Amino acid sequence: QVHLQESGPGLVKPSETLSLTCTVSGDSIGFSTYYWGWIRQPPGKGLEWLGSVYYSGSTYYNPSLKSRVTLSVDTSKNQFSLKVTSVTAADTAVYYCARHLATYFDYWGQGTLVTVSS
Amino acid sequence: YELTQPPSVSVSPGQTASITCSGDSLGDKYACWYQQKPGLSPVLVIYEDVKRPSGIPERFSGSHSGNTATLTISGTQAMDEADYYCQAWDSTVVFGGGTKLTVL
């Protein structure tokens, strides 16, 4: 069974950088044919995809956020990471990591709430 | 690119619920569906238009005609009350706005 777990600060100050890591178990990022993605959900709102990364480091991003989002992967730790720069209150959301196979996400983490506030 | 879902759908227990997802050129893309209950992560219930992941009850089914994909729940149960999101791939990942299914 594939399991994903998000980790990182739950509170980030405005204008700073949000950083989260997703640790994968039950699958090996380095040998997987899947991409690994990040999705967020502001309180009471819908889902928004941020981007996805392959084990090789190849990435693709949501065009509306591309200038502020960076994804990376660490196959030695079986982890992948998200950075969002210059955050504002609008970036307050539950952030999910998920395994991404072409047209769908089949396994999701439990999500972590990140609040942007001074 | 946008996917449009009705904000809410109501159904009586035991009846059939249908949730639609429409978008330009959706006809040449695969759609999938997620169920999300309060406080929980989304769960994939249909992928590639009509396929059901292991462990998803048979009462969940998907269809796709033209630019509209449809999630159908037959014999709806109280436990099916949740938010449902469609999603497609069009050079980027796109989610629909979500539909709140109420089982009255």
Side-chain angles (χ1 to χ4, degrees), chain A residues 87-101:
Chain A
V87 297
T88 69
D91 294 307
T92 293
V94 175
Y95 285 75
Y96 297 100
C97 59
R99 193 172 76 168
H100 184 183
L101 178 59

Side-chain angles (χ1 to χ4, degrees), chain A residues 39 41 45-49 60-61 63 96 100 102-106 108-111, chain B residues 30 32 34 36 40-44 47-48 85 87-89 91-93 95-97:
Chain A
I39 303 99
Q41 185 172 36
K45 296 188 178 181
L47 301 169
E48 179 181 40
W49 172 71
Y60 57 105
Y61 297 108
Y96 297 100
H100 184 183
T103 60
Y104 59 92
F105 298 90
D106 59 352
W108 295 61
Q110 68 183 28
Chain B
Y30 279 128
C32 66
Y34 303 93
Q36 186 180 33
L40 299 179
S41 305
V43 173
L44 180 70
Y47 67 101
E48 293 180 357
Y85 294 91
Q87 180 243 302
W89 159 258
S91 302
T92 68
V93 173
F95 287 97

Side-chain angles (χ1 to χ4, degrees), chain A residues 14-15 27 54 75 92 98 101 113:
Chain A
S15 80
D27 193 3
Y54 197 52
T75 56
T92 293
L101 178 59
L113 175 62

Side-chain angles (χ1 to χ4, degrees), chain A residues 11-112:
Chain A
L11 181 64
V12 181
K13 290 182 168 56
S15 80
E16 295 190 345
T17 297
L18 178 161
S19 296
L20 295 174
T21 295
C22 182
T23 301
V24 179
S25 58
D27 193 3
S28 175
I29 291 179
F31 294 98
S32 177
T33 58
Y34 294 89
Y35 272 75
W36 303 88
W38 290 94
I39 303 99
R40 69 181 182 181
Q41 185 172 36
K45 296 188 178 181
L47 301 169
E48 179 181 40
W49 172 71
L50 301 176
S52 296
V53 61
Y54 197 52
Y55 77 92
S56 63
S58 173
T59 54
Y60 57 105
Y61 297 108
N62 184 328
S64 67
L65 295 164
K66 185 175 182 177
S67 63
R68 296 198 296 128
V69 173
T70 301
L71 302 189
S72 60
V73 62
D74 186 339
T75 56
S76 67
K77 296 181 179 179
N78 221 32
Q79 296 175 335
F80 61 104
S81 298
L82 166 74
K83 291 186 186 298
V84 181
T85 60
S86 305
V87 297
T88 69
D91 294 307
T92 293
V94 175
Y95 285 75
Y96 297 100
C97 59
R99 193 172 76 168
H100 184 183
L101 178 59
T103 60
Y104 59 92
F105 298 90
D106 59 352
Y107 289 97
W108 295 61
Q110 68 183 28
T112 187

Side-chain angles (χ1 to χ4, degrees), chain B residues 1 13 20 23 25 27 32 42 49 58 60 72 103:
Chain B
Y1 186 72
T20 59
S25 303
C32 66
D49 293 340
E58 292 184 6
F60 289 87
T72 301
V103 182

